[in-house]
Amino acid sequence: PSSARPIVGSKAMRVPAEHKLSRTEIDKLEPEAKGVGAKGLGRAKVEPDGTWTQSPYSKTITPELRAAINQAVGAEAGDVILFQFGPAKLVHTVLNHLRLLLGHKLELVKTGEWKILWVVDFPMFEHDEESARYVAAHHPFTSPRIEDLDKITSDPGAVKAVAYDLVLNGNEVAGGSVRIHDPVVQAKVFEALGIGEEERRAKFGFLLDALSFGAPPHAGIAAGM
């Protein structure tokens, strides 16, 4: 498939100058990033003229790219920019870890409040680097979005799932998904995952038989303490 490759991402996070971080504090963020799977951590302190200091990229990055990054994150003098590159899942994991770490360190997390939200539009598939193929992000019976059905086998990396997590104050408290009830869609998902007919019957024959009788649309959610 055209997307049979890792979904590579690059993201940056700006720490405003008002939250002063020393050179030592900035350097200590790299071990934190490595602790959640990163190979390193790109970082830079922005000077009044837009140039970077305290950065492994200060002498190698082109002025055009540096200016574009500064503009993209709204960088101003004294700000610190943190970068991460690689598979999208890793990028998000690393920057989320640093976001929470700095949020508490800089006393930006308010206590005594309850904040709740739904997380939706999860990817249907994730690319496994070791096996060089796609695997189910949630489980192989999660329903894809209707508008993404034509991408299941041609561009699995672009397919979103009808899945949802309930988050309270940054912690997942419940999660679930709508399940596939159409045997044709289920067959396409198995194809995208590289699960052949023989393996399908051996592992999931009971489910395929049930779907053939006309299972109704159904959804589930599980809460945890």
Side-chain angles (χ1 to χ4, degrees):
S2 61
S3 294
R5 60 187 184 278
I7 301 174
V8 177
S10 60
K11 288 194 173 183
M13 179 171 64
R14 179 178 72 94
V15 182
E18 63 187 274
H19 305 294
K20 297 186 182 302
L21 293 174
S22 68
R23 176 67 179 265
T24 300
E25 289 174 317
I26 296 172
D27 288 344
K28 285 182 177 179
L29 295 176
E30 182 162 22
E32 290 286 346
K34 289 182 176 179
V36 291
K39 294 182 179 180
L41 177 65
R43 54 205 185 272
K45 188 169 185 178
V46 182
E47 295 299 305
D49 62 355
T51 58
W52 292 353
T53 58
Q54 302 180 24
S55 173
Y57 307 119
S58 57
K59 294 182 179 180
T60 58
I61 192 168
T62 65
E64 293 79 13
L65 179 55
R66 183 183 64 234
I69 293 173
N70 286 347
Q71 182 179 11
V73 301
E76 299 178 355
D79 290 353
V80 172
I81 307 176
L82 305 176
F83 310 87
Q84 191 60 212
F85 312 92
K89 185 177 181 180
L90 175 64
V91 169
H92 295 153
T93 297
V94 173
L95 288 184
N96 178 63
H97 176 69
L98 295 178
R99 178 179 65 88
L100 295 175
L101 180 74
L102 290 171
H104 287 285
K105 177 180 177 60
L106 302 174
E107 299 181 349
L108 299 174
V109 178
K110 296 180 181 179
T111 59
E113 293 186 4
W114 297 103
K115 298 293 183 178
I116 194 165
L117 62 86
W118 287 100
V119 180
V120 297
D121 291 335
F122 285 96
M124 180 78 179
F125 305 100
E126 292 177 349
H127 193 273
D128 181 72
E129 293 188 45
E130 291 186 9
S131 62
R133 67 183 184 89
Y134 279 100
V135 296
H138 189 45
H139 58 62
F141 317 112
T142 303
S143 180
R145 296 190 308 182
I146 293 176
E147 58 265 40
D148 294 339
L149 291 179
D150 60 342
K151 303 174 186 174
I152 294 175
T153 55
S154 63
D155 193 9
V159 179
K160 294 288 196 287
V162 189
Y164 33 80
D165 281 352
L166 186 63
V167 177
L168 175 63
N169 287 13
N171 296 298
E172 179 187 342
V173 294
S177 65
V178 173
R179 311 296 160 77
I180 295 172
H181 66 278
D182 185 337
V184 175
V185 174
Q186 186 66 72
K188 286 185 176 182
V189 171
F190 283 148
E191 182 181 348
L193 295 173
I195 301 176
E197 184 63 32
E198 185 175 344
E199 185 178 359
R200 298 177 201 179
R201 294 304 312 176
K203 292 183 176 180
F204 312 115
F206 63 94
L207 173 65
L208 298 177
D209 289 340
L211 293 181
S212 70
F213 292 120
H218 50 294
I221 189 167
M225 297 293 289

